[in-house]
Amino acid sequence: MFFLSRGSSLLSPKNLQSLHRAMYTFANLKVNTPSPFVVHVELDNPKRHNAINNEMWKSLGECFASLHTNPDCRVIVLSGGGKNFCAGIDLMSLMGLGKELSEHEDVARRGRLLDNKVRIFQDSISSLERCMKPIIAVIQGACVGAGVDLTTAADVRYCTTDAWFQVKEVEIGMAADVGTLQRLPKVIGSQSLVRELCFTGRKLESGEALQFGLVNRVFSTKEEMLKFAFETAAKIAALSPVAVQNTKKSLIYSFDRPAQEGLDHIREINTLALQKNLQSLHRAMSSFANLKVNTPSPFVVHVELDNPKRHNAINNEMWKSLGECFASLHTNPDCRVIVLSGGGKNFCAGIDLMSLMGLGKELSEHEDVARRGRLLDNKVRIFQDSISSLERCMKPIIAVIQGACVGAGVDLTTAADVRYCTTDAWFQVKEVEIGMAADVGTLQRLPKVIGSQSLVRELCFTGRKLESGEALQFGLVNRVFSTKEEMLKFAFETAAKIAALSPVAVQNTKKSLIYSFDRPAQEGLDHIREINTLALQSEDFIAAATAAATKGEAAEFSKL
């Protein structure tokens, strides 16, 4: 059934009637609107610990399909009534399936019957992922089997201290087949843990769930957790629904694809979405300093963003400079490692909005939407290519971040290879706050950099700040320093160690890491085998292997 809070003015009588008709048959679900544009979906089968029966499978699919197209819904909070979130599939409800199977002797017909049934279960869970409204799952007590399927299909996950998770299917003689094996490896950073859980069926307690990124917040009580979830949902609901939903669409599309495919996808989306925001801007572009480049030690290049008066916000000239700089360093034999920093107190305040005013003027000169779209597509492509030049550059890039790292600053750091920061550093995916989905690389790279997909989506949907401690906890950076000076010293020392190694080995390592990340393991293995059929014949391998075997002086390598 569908419940509305008293006095709610969210829905017109016409919408309310249609929603009532659509949701009247939702078995074992409670749906209400705790605040404008926020919908609370509660699993309502507490006597059986919210185990999912046949009626509930159908209800879940229909409910989230309905909310996907409901303009009065912008964010969803998913919870379980009673003491437990979900005890998995209701085995009692499968008895009818056993009876149906016994009516067919032919294995092909039994197989077709089972295939159809499992497809219904899968589609029900996938309806959460197809729903473009962000879904915050709040978990208390048991979250077992199909409960894990539900939570991994949600976007953001919080739990209570008494929560525990279990991929129980292996204990009842089957492989999980409704989504856990497909989504859990993308949600948790540790693939070793994923496989242990799926092979053993052991319980994952709340502390470990937080440690490995299955959830990104743990609360003492269910009440405290729900309060925070509704507050977070309200913040998201207050933002542009176009920006938020396009953000989710891009995150899902990009995760299983190479970064460039994701960049092309979000650029196509934003060629329309950005026109409204930029058409009213008419002022001319300003000119700012670009980059400082120096060589602190042999084969180490230091690239410093040099626009400190505007907190290193990236203007049009800097977009061009970044792309040209990293393209040049890619082929420069005197560069083997790059340290990327920001001058002044902040790393990067994002894109310089002042520099977009000229774009607004250009857009206003075209009435035709196709021509405005082409203009925007070309402009965003330049921004994307500038950031992607860091990934295309086969020299390892160490990003060192202090103070603010906002918007395009996050794009830059996620395209780098290694990230260090200072205690005063903070990160923010701010684009959603200015009515757009991030379209220069964050939505394509941040989910692959951070282990917790729950945290990634919370950051991208809310635009909240991520402080240095949390950035270290979840793997955005792997070292935190007290001062910028201490950080730069360590970064230059690390860069010098890398620069002393074979440039053939180091650059092929980066090439293989990037190539393999978005592809099946076998494709990556084929790729590195082809590379090493030549590389293992090089003088670098012979020199390094000889030095290691004889424990003599470190090998020196010619330029590459």
Side-chain angles (χ1 to χ4, degrees):
M1 296 181 68
F2 187 86
F3 297 89
L4 286 175
S5 56
R6 292 184 180 179
S8 172
S9 59
L10 276 179
L11 304 177
S12 67
K14 183 178 179 181
N15 284 345
L16 180 56
Q17 288 173 7
S18 63
L19 282 170
H20 177 73
R21 285 195 298 269
M23 298 188 177
Y24 182 76
T25 57
F26 285 178
N28 301 122
L29 295 179
K30 286 181 180 177
V31 185
N32 59 63
T33 54
S35 63
F37 301 111
V38 174
V39 174
H40 180 200
V41 178
E42 183 181 48
L43 309 181
D44 186 35
N45 187 13
K47 290 184 179 180
R48 296 195 59 79
H49 309 290
N50 297 315
I52 305 178
N53 54 37
N54 289 338
E55 293 76 16
M56 203 168 183
W57 284 116
K58 182 180 178 184
S59 294
L60 282 165
E62 290 178 350
C63 177
F64 284 97
S66 174
L67 292 175
H68 170 60
T69 59
N70 183 351
D72 292 300
C73 170
R74 294 184 183 175
V75 192
I76 301 161
V77 174
L78 174 64
S79 71
K83 294 182 179 180
N84 295 290
F85 176 75
C86 178
I89 191 169
D90 190 338
L91 297 178
M92 295 292 290
S93 69
L94 291 182
M95 290 183 175
L97 176 59
K99 184 181 177 186
E100 289 182 76
L101 287 172
S102 67
E103 294 172 358
H104 298 283
E105 293 184 3
D106 182 57
V107 68
R109 285 166 175 77
R110 290 201 300 270
R112 175 63 62 83
L113 180 64
L114 271 173
D115 181 84
N116 290 340
K117 181 65 70 173
V118 175
R119 189 184 298 272
I120 290 170
F121 298 164
Q122 291 177 344
D123 285 349
S124 179
I125 298 295
S126 294
S127 68
L128 278 72
E129 204 166 62
R130 288 192 295 264
C131 176
M132 285 299 104
K133 317 298 172 71
I135 301 169
I136 301 172
V138 291
I139 303 110
Q140 82 286 354
C143 181
V144 178
V148 178
D149 294 319
L150 274 174
T151 58
T152 54
D155 299 293
V156 179
R157 288 164 294 279
Y158 306 147
C159 77
T160 54
T161 50
D162 71 341
W164 53 274
F165 304 80
Q166 187 177 19
V167 185
K168 194 177 176 64
E169 285 85 349
V170 72
E171 289 190 351
I172 57 173
M174 62 177 285
D177 60 358
V178 188
T180 289
L181 300 186
Q182 290 67 45
R183 296 187 178 97
L184 189 61
K186 301 172 183 177
V187 165
I188 288 184
S190 169
Q191 299 310 302
S192 176
L193 175 63
V194 168
R195 297 190 185 206
E196 182 191 277
L197 295 173
C198 293
F199 293 152
T200 66
R202 78 163 176 88
K203 292 181 181 179
L204 181 77
E205 304 291 343
S206 60
E208 200 176 1
L210 176 65
Q211 177 187 354
F212 287 100
L214 179 55
V215 301
N216 64 293
R217 292 180 187 274
V218 176
F219 298 86
S220 300
T221 66
K222 181 180 177 181
E223 293 71 26
E224 181 187 354
M225 174 174 64
L226 278 169
K227 181 176 181 291
F228 185 87
F230 290 142
E231 289 172 352
T232 301
K235 290 176 184 177
I236 298 171
L239 299 170
S240 159
V242 174
V244 170
Q245 291 172 42
N246 283 345
T247 295
K248 177 168 180 174
K249 184 183 295 185
S250 182
L251 282 166
I252 292 173
Y253 181 91
S254 300
F255 197 92
D256 297 309
R257 294 173 170 86
Q260 190 55 53
E261 286 188 33
L263 290 167
D264 293 341
H265 178 257
I266 190 60
R267 191 176 64 251
E268 291 170 7
I269 290 173
N270 270 2
T271 52
L272 290 177
L274 288 178
Q275 290 187 33
K276 183 177 180 182
N277 289 346
L278 293 176
Q279 259 185 294
S280 61
L281 298 174
H282 298 293
R283 292 177 57 186
M285 294 182 289
S286 301
S287 178
F288 296 93
N290 293 325
L291 302 173
K292 286 182 179 177
V293 183
N294 58 62
T295 53
S297 63
F299 300 111
V300 175
V301 174
H302 180 201
V303 177
E304 184 182 47
L305 307 181
D306 187 36
N307 187 12
K309 290 183 179 179
R310 293 193 63 79
H311 310 289
N312 296 317
I314 305 179
N315 55 39
N316 288 339
E317 291 76 18
M318 198 182 288
W319 284 115
K320 183 180 179 184
S321 295
L322 282 165
E324 291 176 350
C325 176
F326 285 97
S328 173
L329 293 175
H330 171 60
T331 58
N332 185 345
D334 291 304
C335 171
R336 293 183 182 175
V337 191
I338 301 162
V339 174
L340 174 63
S341 71
K345 294 182 178 179
N346 295 290
F347 176 74
C348 178
I351 191 169
D352 191 336
L353 296 179
M354 296 291 289
S355 69
L356 291 181
M357 291 181 175
L359 177 58
K361 185 173 184 293
E362 288 182 75
L363 286 173
S364 68
E365 294 171 357
H366 299 282
E367 292 185 3
D368 181 58
V369 67
R371 285 164 176 78
R372 291 199 302 268
R374 175 63 61 84
L375 181 65
L376 269 174
D377 182 86
N378 291 338
K379 181 64 70 173
V380 176
R381 190 186 297 271
I382 290 170
F383 297 165
Q384 291 180 343
D385 286 348
S386 179
I387 298 296
S388 294
S389 69
L390 279 71
E391 202 167 64
R392 288 193 295 265
C393 176
M394 285 299 104
K395 316 299 172 71
I397 301 169
I398 301 172
V400 290
I401 303 112
Q402 81 285 354
C405 181
V406 179
V410 179
D411 294 318
L412 273 173
T413 57
T414 54
D417 299 292
V418 180
R419 287 164 294 279
Y420 306 147
C421 77
T422 54
T423 50
D424 71 340
W426 53 274
F427 304 80
Q428 187 177 20
V429 185
K430 195 176 177 65
E431 286 85 348
V432 73
E433 288 191 350
I434 59 172
M436 62 176 285
D439 61 357
V440 188
T442 289
L443 300 186
Q444 290 68 44
R445 296 187 177 99
L446 187 62
K448 300 172 183 177
V449 166
I450 288 184
S452 169
Q453 299 311 303
S454 176
L455 176 62
V456 168
R457 297 193 185 203
E458 183 191 275
L459 295 173
C460 293
F461 293 150
T462 66
R464 77 165 176 89
K465 293 180 180 180
L466 181 78
E467 304 291 343
S468 59
E470 199 175 2
L472 177 65
Q473 178 187 353
F474 287 101
L476 178 56
V477 300
N478 62 295
R479 292 181 187 271
V480 176
F481 298 86
S482 299
T483 67
K484 181 180 177 182
E485 292 71 25
E486 180 187 354
M487 173 175 64
L488 278 169
K489 181 176 182 291
F490 185 87
F492 289 141
E493 290 172 352
T494 302
K497 291 177 183 176
I498 297 171
L501 300 172
S502 160
V504 174
V506 170
Q507 291 173 41
N508 283 344
T509 295
K510 177 169 179 175
K511 184 183 293 184
S512 182
L513 283 167
I514 291 173
Y515 181 91
S516 300
F517 197 94
D518 299 307
R519 294 172 170 87
Q522 190 57 52
E523 285 188 32
L525 290 167
D526 294 341
H527 179 257
I528 192 60
R529 190 179 65 250
E530 290 170 8
I531 290 174
N532 271 2
T533 53
L534 291 177
L536 291 179
Q537 300 178 56
S538 81
E539 61 186 37
D540 287 29
F541 175 66
I542 297 169
T546 301
T550 61
K551 298 183 179 178
E553 292 185 6
E556 292 187 3
F557 305 98
S558 58
K559 294 180 180 181
L560 178 65

